[in-house]
Amino acid sequence: MDAAARDLWNRAHSRVNAEYREERRRVTIDPITRLEGHGKIDVFLDEHGEVERAYLQIPEMRGFETFSLGRPAEEMPQITSRICGVCPTAHHMAAAKALDALYQVEPPPAGRKIRELVYHAFMMEDHALHVYLLGGPDFIVGPDAPPGERNVLGVIRKVGIETGRRVIAMRRRLRELIAYFGGKVIHPVLGLPGGVSKGLEPEKLGEFKQLARDNLDFAMFTNQVFKDLVWKNPDYVRLITSEAYTHRTHYMGMVDEQNRVNFYDGQLRVVRPDGTEYAKFPADRYLDFIAEHVEPWSYVKFCYLKPLGWHGFTEGPESSVYAVAPLARLNASDGMSTTLAQTAYDVFFNTVGAKPVHHTLANHWARVIEMIHAAERIVELVNDPELLSPDIRTLPTATPRRGIGVVEAPRGTLIHHFETDERGLIEKANLIVATQNNAARIAMSVDRAAKNLIHKGEVSEGLMNRIEMAFRAYDPCFGCASHALPGHLPLRVRLYDPQRRLVRELVQE
Amino acid sequence: MTPDHWTPRIVAFFCNWCTYTAADLAGVSRLRYAPNVRIIRLMCSGRVDPQFVLDALARGADGVLIGGCHPGDCHYVEGNTKMLRRFRMLRRLLAGFGIEEERVRLEWISAAEGEKVRTVINDMTERIRALGMLGLPMRFEEWDREMGHLEGEIRERATDLDPDDDEAGEEGEPEVPAAAQRPEASHV
Amino acid sequence: MSKPKVGFYWCASCGGCEEAVVDLAEDLVEVTAAVEIVFWPCAMDFKRADVERLGDGEIAATFLNGAIRTEEQEEMARLLRRKSALLVAYGACAQLGGIPGLANGFSRETMMRFYFEDGPSTVNPERVRPAPETPAHGAALELPRLRRVVRSLDQVVPVDYALPGCPPTPKLTRQAIDALLSGTLPARGSVLAPDTALCDECPRRDSKPTDVAFREFRRPDRTRLEPGVCFLAQGVVCLGPGTRAGCEAPCVRGNMPCSGCFGPTSRVRDQGAKVLSSLSSNVEPRDEAGIDAVLAGIPDPVGTFYRYGLAKSLLRRRVDLPNEPE
């Protein structure tokens, strides 16, 4: 149709449809408001004005496990990526790996390496986002800086506008790499059972090699920034290691055959609060080790180690609570598979303390070490001649039945479990997302912060900030765990006296 | 219409060249058939867009009957074949929406088959009577009652909070029963 | 003259729409200089009290993403509608219900029972469920109620414009903001993207057969997808013909078919029915058995044709679900 005719056609249709719409429209009354769009923390005080208990509540769920039923399995990497638009690549990749297992097919080397390249680029840019924009303000600007300073602009003032530009440019280039293979960077489409949909054209390789080099420089630069501003500053190290931010729990992370950190593949390893190995198992045995507990006051389920049973929000050797995410990965491993990251890993444990490190805020540092690892893996991958092979996918032939896939998302272990009929239509889906693994420990951290900072009914000034710091270290993604606000969670804290009258309400924006 | 006084409502899309003519013939021949069908004449069953069927159901039809020329007799060569293909998929789609198969029916009825018009319409009316009311507009209202609930509560609170504020009542929107407040259901 | 106030808000969404706004990257700086962002919970201080203090219609435009699933989201939608001169449904979830809208194929009870009781990793012998009010320490912990039905934004409040996509592209977002600033927005009710089908801008359009005749539909799970060849010509379901253009076909560039996130063009009232019509009409067999055999290659019509648009379809939701309490 030529343009003029199409235009005429479109206009005629919009007129008809406008009339149609009007015909179907009914009056909608616009009321006043009542509720807050915030994560909620309710704090209960005892008769001495001390904190009995603080609750962090997550206000929504969407039900992906249910509405996946009946869908063709190959759609799952795209459907589940909509669990989270901040870490869509993690869901996409966990689902793609679950499809490999479901269809009993191994991707050829190029298919696997393209997935790994995309995945490490994603880990890198997501960690960079957190280090500089979300968690960074707490350290780079300083935990006691005024709230108005503790934001991106404050970071840029501290590290310089050039660094700000560098962060933005590096993230953009990494995201372009993801989009090259994945079509879209937010909700990529490359993952299929047995490999990927798109290979690498040789003429792109030079660009990606340059990106890999620049990116490694950037990771080392970030390490330097962190070193200069944080671990050379005894106050910060003291803050990181303070009891207020310490929980002695189990840790889980994925490791390779030598028990080194691996984001893409391997077995899940759990260490006890004393650092000894508790369990090591392939993803398809996750149901033997991981269980989810329900509380009536949150839509988020709380994971715990199943053989130990649920013992509440407790820590120590008798507790079944475990943590995931960067610190947990370092704790659950024996080292890193790349040299620069291994060096940083050693410095970390020499500075902060022996393994396992129980200090929640050390997650920020662990994240920087993981950035180095991701950057080194990207360099290895772009220099791998197999990456250019056009053989990117093994077509499945087996009858699908059950498949479990796992990756280490930026925020921790992520498990997708699908079962299908013989046509590959989903009959059961179960998802354990990173923040759920951490949910119990996050709840404990919030409770701890409240107990440390509220005494005799008096609230210390930095309460909101400190609570926020406690859970921001986990980089919690309640978008994943149910839905709420990725990274940054505006908070509302309400204090109730022993008569359960609301005595104070604080809002952290 | 309430379920108590309900009688099936069927929307029929008939092809101008065959089924519509047959319905005409049935009328001329004084064949009595159930009065539950509203006939819409189209030039070809191939013109029946699946959107028409869904829209008819969404607006309160209990069933939809599509009548076209016998295979091979289409005035436009293969409009009826296209309809058959869509119909096969549409049935599966409707099943996915929880709508019984028998509510949407495709029949080939030539211009000479006035008797078949009667049989089909009577049969379909009885089958739908047995299935009962589909009543989508009522269901939509029922679904949306949960929104009216919040509105009602909020209005109450507004009154509670501002007892002295005379304008609160006057400024409010006209009273509309909560159930009738279904917002538009079209694409923007 | 003061700068126009702009707001961003999210409801039942994944955060991808927020990332899409952040992906304006360097453009974002210009945009933020030209407008006053009054709230944006993911990136900036958000003071709801400030929003409430604003006059009705004082915000020039609010870009709201996400479907409406809880009473809390419904209420925020109503507040922002009142405060905003223009309310823009930003992204597929706000425009069409999006992926969360697929929940309209199931009852809330089914979803809750599996998630909190029957899931294989859930251990909940006492069948505890999240409750609107939980007694604790002599008080009540409150959670917003989940609605039975997932809704698009315009099923809750009137909407002025929609920016389609899962997520919308930075380019369309930028264009919309520019149009807003220069007062060149099209007629209210418009979707702020080209009103043509995706095939128009598809890099593979030249290989689209003029007369498609499907002998089979091949699912990507067991099919090697040919780069550069129209997916329909390969017998692979692609929603391009029934989907609005404007995304510039990134999925196709990633060698995967379109799944329809930009929703329909203005000529279509129900995207699913339209796509169904276009694909089914063009299968090759003429007899029932042959037709059924080909169509069996699309095993999940509701999920395929309404991947993003179930909540906004003419039927809105599976109609035979039990009647649950509100």
Side-chain angles (χ1 to χ4, degrees), chain A residues 65-182:
Chain A
E65 288 89 343
T66 298
F67 64 67
S68 296
L69 299 179
R71 313 275 98 96
E74 70 272 18
E75 311 284 1
M76 294 307 283
Q78 290 192 43
I79 290 176
T80 58
S81 87
R82 269 71 182 195
I83 291 171
C84 176
V86 179
C87 48
T89 314
H91 287 282
H92 188 77
M93 216 55 92
K97 286 185 67 192
L99 292 185
D100 296 343
L102 180 74
Y103 285 89
Q104 300 134 57
V105 63
E106 272 296 317
R112 180 190 165 109
K113 283 169 184 169
I114 287 170
R115 282 197 199 167
E116 283 199 69
L117 175 61
V118 167
Y119 199 63
H120 284 83
F122 156 69
M123 288 294 280
M124 180 76 201
E125 62 95 3
D126 192 283
H127 273 6
L129 174 76
H130 191 276
V131 165
Y132 284 99
L133 304 186
L134 302 175
D138 290 337
F139 283 100
I140 297 174
V141 184
D144 299 317
E149 284 285 302
R150 274 184 299 103
N151 55 31
V152 187
L153 297 177
V155 172
I156 289 176
R157 259 194 294 279
K158 193 91 178 215
V159 295
I161 184 75
E162 272 318 304
T163 304
R165 290 219 179 91
R166 194 169 174 190
V167 175
I168 290 173
M170 192 49 68
R171 282 196 78 228
R172 196 190 56 230
R173 288 168 69 190
L174 288 161
R175 285 168 79 79
E176 281 166 6
L177 180 148
I178 298 170
Y180 171 80
F181 290 104

Side-chain angles (χ1 to χ4, degrees), chain B residues 11-15 18-19 44-48 53 63-71 79-91 94 101-109 116 120 124, chain C residues 286 288 291:
Chain B
V11 171
F13 296 104
F14 284 171
C15 157
C18 51
T19 316
C44 176
S45 60
R47 180 64 184 93
V48 180
V53 177
V64 174
L65 172 63
I66 301 158
C69 303
H70 285 272
N80 54 357
T81 313
K82 287 190 187 296
M83 187 57 227
L84 173 64
R85 293 167 179 150
R86 282 179 218 140
F87 176 73
R88 300 305 299 172
M89 195 61 171
L90 185 59
R91 264 161 73 116
L94 290 170
E101 249 184 25
E102 287 172 304
R103 292 194 187 272
V104 178
R105 185 159 166 172
L106 174 66
E107 289 288 343
W108 306 139
I109 304 176
K116 190 170 179 187
V120 165
M124 187 165 177
Chain C
R286 313 171 64 86
E288 266 182 31
I291 293 167

Side-chain angles (χ1 to χ4, degrees), chain A residues 10 34-36 500 509, chain C residues 46 48 72 75 137 267:
Chain A
N10 283 346
R34 180 181 56 162
L35 292 161
E36 296 264 333
R500 300 315 171 213
E509 309 296 350
Chain C
F46 165 48
R48 169 173 168 153
E72 182 179 15
E75 196 171 349
H137 307 266
R267 299 179 295 285

Side-chain angles (χ1 to χ4, degrees), chain A residues 434-487:
Chain A
T435 297
Q436 260 181 280
N437 290 304
N438 265 341
R441 195 172 140 132
I442 294 173
M444 286 156 58
S445 292
V446 168
D447 186 53
R448 169 75 56 82
K451 283 177 173 152
N452 277 329
L453 294 158
I454 301 172
H455 293 291
K456 299 192 168 59
E458 289 299 312
V459 177
S460 310
E461 261 321 302
L463 172 75
M464 300 303 284
N465 180 24
R466 295 299 165 101
I467 288 179
E468 194 181 349
M469 269 178 71
F471 73 76
R472 191 151 59 200
Y474 297 96
D475 190 8
C477 190
F478 293 114
C480 285
S482 66
H483 159 272
L485 321 175

